[in-house]
Amino acid sequence: MKLLDGAIAAVDHGGSLGRASALFPHAPRPFVDLSTGINPHSYPLFELPATTLSRLPEAARLGELRAVAATAYGAPSPAQVAAAPGTQILLPRVASLVRPGMALVLGPTYAEHSRAAAIAGHVATEVDDVEALAEADLAVVVNPNNPDGRVVERERLLRLAAQLRAKGGLLVVDEAFMDVGPDAESLAGDVGQGGIVVLRSFGKFFGLAGLRLGFALADTLTVQRLETQFGPWAVAGPALEYGIRALGDITWQAAMRQRLAQDAARLDGLFARFGTAVAGGTTLFRHLSLPGAADLFSALGQRGVLLRHFADRPHVLRAGLPGEEADWQRLEAALADWASLRNDQAEEPNP
Amino acid sequence: MKLLDGAIAAVDHGGSLGRASALFPHAPRPFVDLSTGINPHSYPLFELPATTLSRLPEAARLGELRAVAATAYGAPSPAQVAAAPGTQILLPRVASLVRPGMALVLGPTYAEHSRAAAIAGHVATEVDDVEALAEADLAVVVNPNNPDGRVVERERLLRLAAQLRAKGGLLVVDEAFMDVGPDAESLAGDVGQGGIVVLRSFGKFFGLAGLRLGFALADTLTVQRLETQFGPWAVAGPALEYGIRALGDITWQAAMRQRLAQDAARLDGLFARFGTAVAGGTTLFRHLSLPGAADLFSALGQRGVLLRHFADRPHVLRAGLPGEEADWQRLEAALADWASLRNDQAEEPNP
């Protein structure tokens, strides 16, 4: 058997309470989980008809989802929208749209992109300059970026896409956090020209990551090719129903964007009060860069407040938004503990 | 871009009320949908915790699902179980485990297997003799078969697997309907030796096709390779929770097997009363083979009762089991109408 390289290692992620419990066995429960960029204020849950679970998902309902997603994301038409059970499962399929070659990922960023490119047979490398991406067969930009919130301008990406397209390459733009802007930089409306795949994630902004729903926006032929891979019932009934309702609810979306902006500002203020300046991010997560990042991660973790740390970038932390007021209070108390501990240490006379 | 063959056409399926409405616009509603092999008596629905939808699925919970699935299906251990969002999405990935070559599918059978093999780059052909499969790089057997219920013995399949394995080939056994037996012929316990992938579908027997949950049982390395393709959160929260509870509920499973056997016998009796002998199937669907199959399909469809017909086999019909007593009554009335119409025609003097 010709087998894929089994040595493509799994990637560490936030959002696992199992891992958190192993790391911080004595922490007070429940954890305040700020280790992801998932909105803690989920789209309101509603009763699903039993047939959503019992029957095969209907093609017509999938068509409605594609139509409402095209409008919500600004794709030219539903024919430019492929729906999948989460963005994650799309990544190796999108990376497989180009013949194995050189994949360049604008980094540092979400590690699954390099992994997906490797699964698809590419030699994958992270680069830190957008211009360098023009050398790639497959170029990947997370926009805005996770975890630092860096935004690459649409004009620059379109130039890059044209360069890649001219030699048969592909530009993948992961807009997982574009729901909270800046949407003028989105390439969703540009996918019709070909050579561009835009990824959009439903679960993060709508706070429904357990549903598994993601989209690839691309030219019609590429959409058909992706759908051929996934088959007729790739999106589960519950994801179809929530996707159609939530993506069509622009009132909720507008109010939520405002709320998240307020919450992000509040979070920045809180970190600032304890001497930690926020270095960037989006309104779904904040990016911290500080010398004592590992200490802060541990101090909060032991108090049951989980941030996201990155094994290969020990000075970086990412903080999602607290949801309940009690979660804000626990974060504040944990930060106060950490700050006073730090001050004690600073005031201790050197031996 | 190296692109997949966009010409791999979609396959016709049962289970679409949208298609049924287009075919039979004047039929009384709701349709009695007997066009699938999905159990009409779903596993009892239960309230899901909100975190099932809001949070990313936990790795630990996926581990529990794999463990309970290994026990339910008779796999050697959880390490031989890969879980996916439906069996359908697994097919091209499983077919891609072998280098593109000759795929032979024991037919006539579920058309998606040939399609998946073609997507994976194989030249796919249906053959009607198990022995002929030994020539393949990728051999596919649906066991028991859909739609005729044909069963290939385990011993014969193991011999075939050994022949294929010896030359680097792969045997895929789709046991989508093995939940209703004969489970002595299942290869689930044999996957550890390698060269065998057994597919199991959750949605059919448990009547929860909208959840999207399926499994590939295989040797540990193959399982890891499939999971690498799907990434860490392939199975949605609701599917995890229903899978764990229902696959572990052997009391419900035993009672349901008995109920389905009774219902299948009742369905055979009903068709027999109207002069149509059932030619095979499983207790989740019955297989009819008759010269007037197209007329029967139309007559029932116009009365709002949907069977499954097959464009390339006009004499074959498949009938799923009615659920509610009212559905049985509507099927009986429709069959009676059809029979009297047929008799009228037969009694009409020739012009």
Side-chain angles (χ1 to χ4, degrees):
Chain A
M1 286 196 285
K2 176 201 150 203
L3 290 164
L4 289 158
D5 184 1
I8 296 169
V11 165
D12 178 34
H13 289 286
S16 168
L17 294 180
R19 277 180 43 92
S21 298
L23 263 176
F24 303 111
H26 307 300
R29 311 298 165 88
F31 281 105
V32 176
D33 184 8
L34 312 181
S35 71
T36 75
I38 299 165
N39 185 353
H41 311 295
S42 298
Y43 189 82
L45 301 189
F46 55 89
E47 193 84 18
L48 292 167
T51 49
T52 307
L53 299 185
S54 61
R55 292 187 54 86
L56 283 168
E58 283 281 341
R61 209 75 183 125
L62 179 63
E64 288 177 58
L65 176 67
R66 292 171 63 182
V68 73
T71 303
Y73 294 137
S77 89
Q80 278 86 42
V81 178
T87 309
Q88 187 66 36
I89 207 166
L90 273 164
L91 302 184
R93 301 282 69 75
V94 168
S96 298
L97 291 168
V98 256
R99 194 190 305 277
M102 179 166 63
L104 297 178
V105 179
L106 188 63
T109 192
Y110 185 60
E112 292 282 353
H113 284 292
S114 290
R115 183 168 164 274
I119 290 169
H122 300 284
V123 176
T125 314
E126 281 200 359
V127 298
D128 57 8
D129 177 16
V130 182
E131 298 307 319
L133 295 173
E135 301 301 313
D137 299 298
L138 172 72
V140 183
V141 177
V142 181
N143 206 36
N145 193 41
N146 169 13
D148 60 9
R150 175 197 54 213
V151 172
V152 182
E153 287 170 11
R154 174 170 165 271
E155 287 305 325
R156 205 166 176 192
L157 291 173
L158 288 177
R159 278 202 309 276
L160 174 63
Q163 289 172 297
L164 295 169
R165 187 167 51 240
K167 55 171 193 168
L170 177 68
L171 173 63
V172 175
V173 185
D174 181 355
E175 297 186 354
F177 293 99
M178 191 56 93
D179 303 72
V180 292
D183 57 4
E185 310 306 340
S186 170
L187 256 56
D190 304 299
V191 296
Q193 60 192 252
I196 301 171
V197 173
V198 170
L199 300 170
R200 302 292 301 233
S201 296
F202 178 79
K204 294 181 177 75
F205 177 60
F206 292 98
L208 294 169
L211 272 180
R212 310 314 297 138
L213 180 60
F215 299 91
L217 318 182
D219 62 278
T220 307
L221 194 59
T222 301
V223 163
Q224 286 169 356
R225 280 159 179 157
L226 290 170
E227 292 195 325
T228 296
Q229 292 281 339
F230 288 125
W233 310 290
V235 176
L240 273 182
E241 297 308 314
Y242 272 96
I244 290 169
R245 188 178 298 195
L247 285 169
D249 189 347
I250 54 173
T251 309
W252 185 91
Q253 292 167 32
M256 183 51 64
R257 278 189 194 99
Q258 210 165 356
R259 177 178 189 173
L260 291 170
Q262 289 162 358
D263 283 1
R266 178 178 175 186
L267 188 57
D268 288 6
L270 190 56
F271 279 116
R273 259 180 55 203
F274 294 101
T276 303
V278 169
T282 71
T283 61
L284 281 166
F285 59 82
R286 308 306 291 157
H287 175 243
L288 309 174
S289 181
L290 69 165
D295 289 345
L296 177 54
F297 174 76
S298 292
L300 295 191
Q302 284 157 13
R303 288 160 181 82
V305 178
L306 297 168
L307 304 188
R308 173 82 164 96
H309 70 133
F310 301 85
D312 55 342
R313 280 166 287 159
H315 60 290
V316 170
L317 291 175
R318 190 185 65 193
L321 300 179
E324 307 292 314
E325 191 52 36
D327 295 347
W328 286 95
Q329 302 303 332
R330 284 186 61 194
L331 171 61
E332 181 168 352
L335 281 169
D337 275 3
W338 168 71
S340 73
L341 202 72
R342 203 176 41 165
N343 291 340
D344 289 352
Q345 285 169 345
E347 283 161 20
E348 245 171 49
N350 284 333
Chain B
M1 287 198 283
K2 177 202 150 203
L3 291 163
L4 289 158
D5 183 1
I8 295 169
V11 165
D12 178 35
H13 289 286
S16 168
L17 295 181
R19 277 179 43 91
S21 297
L23 262 176
F24 303 111
H26 307 299
R29 312 297 164 88
F31 281 105
V32 176
D33 185 9
L34 312 181
S35 71
T36 77
I38 299 164
N39 185 352
H41 311 295
S42 299
Y43 189 81
L45 300 189
F46 56 90
E47 191 84 18
L48 292 167
T51 49
T52 307
L53 299 185
S54 61
R55 291 187 56 85
L56 284 167
E58 283 281 339
R61 209 74 183 127
L62 178 63
E64 288 177 59
L65 175 67
R66 292 171 62 181
V68 73
T71 303
Y73 295 137
S77 89
Q80 278 85 44
V81 179
T87 309
Q88 185 67 35
I89 207 166
L90 273 164
L91 301 185
R93 302 281 70 75
V94 168
S96 297
L97 290 167
V98 259
R99 192 191 307 276
M102 179 167 63
L104 298 178
V105 179
L106 188 63
T109 191
Y110 185 59
E112 292 283 353
H113 284 293
S114 290
R115 183 168 165 274
I119 290 170
H122 300 283
V123 175
T125 315
E126 281 200 1
V127 297
D128 57 9
D129 176 15
V130 183
E131 298 307 319
L133 295 173
E135 300 301 314
D137 300 297
L138 173 71
V140 183
V141 177
V142 181
N143 205 36
N145 193 41
N146 170 12
D148 61 8
R150 173 198 57 210
V151 172
V152 182
E153 287 170 11
R154 174 170 165 270
E155 287 306 325
R156 204 166 175 191
L157 290 173
L158 287 176
R159 279 202 308 277
L160 174 63
Q163 290 173 297
L164 294 169
R165 188 168 48 241
K167 55 171 192 167
L170 177 68
L171 172 63
V172 175
V173 186
D174 181 354
E175 297 186 354
F177 293 99
M178 190 56 93
D179 304 72
V180 291
D183 57 3
E185 310 306 341
S186 170
L187 255 56
D190 304 298
V191 296
Q193 61 192 252
I196 301 172
V197 173
V198 169
L199 300 171
R200 301 292 300 234
S201 296
F202 178 80
K204 295 181 175 75
F205 177 60
F206 291 99
L208 294 169
L211 272 180
R212 310 312 297 139
L213 180 60
F215 299 91
L217 318 181
D219 62 278
T220 307
L221 195 59
T222 301
V223 163
Q224 286 169 356
R225 281 160 179 158
L226 290 171
E227 292 194 326
T228 295
Q229 292 280 340
F230 288 125
W233 311 290
V235 177
L240 274 180
E241 297 309 313
Y242 272 96
I244 290 168
R245 188 178 298 194
L247 285 168
D249 189 348
I250 54 174
T251 308
W252 184 90
Q253 292 167 33
M256 184 49 65
R257 280 190 192 96
Q258 212 166 353
R259 177 177 189 173
L260 291 170
Q262 289 163 358
D263 284 1
R266 179 179 174 184
L267 189 56
D268 288 6
L270 191 56
F271 279 115
R273 259 181 53 204
F274 294 101
T276 304
V278 169
T282 72
T283 60
L284 280 167
F285 59 82
R286 309 305 292 156
H287 175 242
L288 310 173
S289 182
L290 69 166
D295 290 344
L296 176 55
F297 174 76
S298 292
L300 295 191
Q302 283 157 13
R303 287 159 181 81
V305 178
L306 297 167
L307 303 188
R308 172 85 164 96
H309 70 135
F310 301 85
D312 54 342
R313 280 165 285 158
H315 60 290
V316 170
L317 291 174
R318 190 185 66 193
L321 300 179
E324 309 291 313
E325 191 52 38
D327 295 348
W328 286 95
Q329 301 305 333
R330 284 186 59 194
L331 171 62
E332 181 168 351
L335 282 170
D337 275 4
W338 167 70
S340 73
L341 203 72
R342 202 175 42 165
N343 291 340
D344 289 352
Q345 287 168 345
E347 283 162 18
E348 248 172 44
N350 284 333

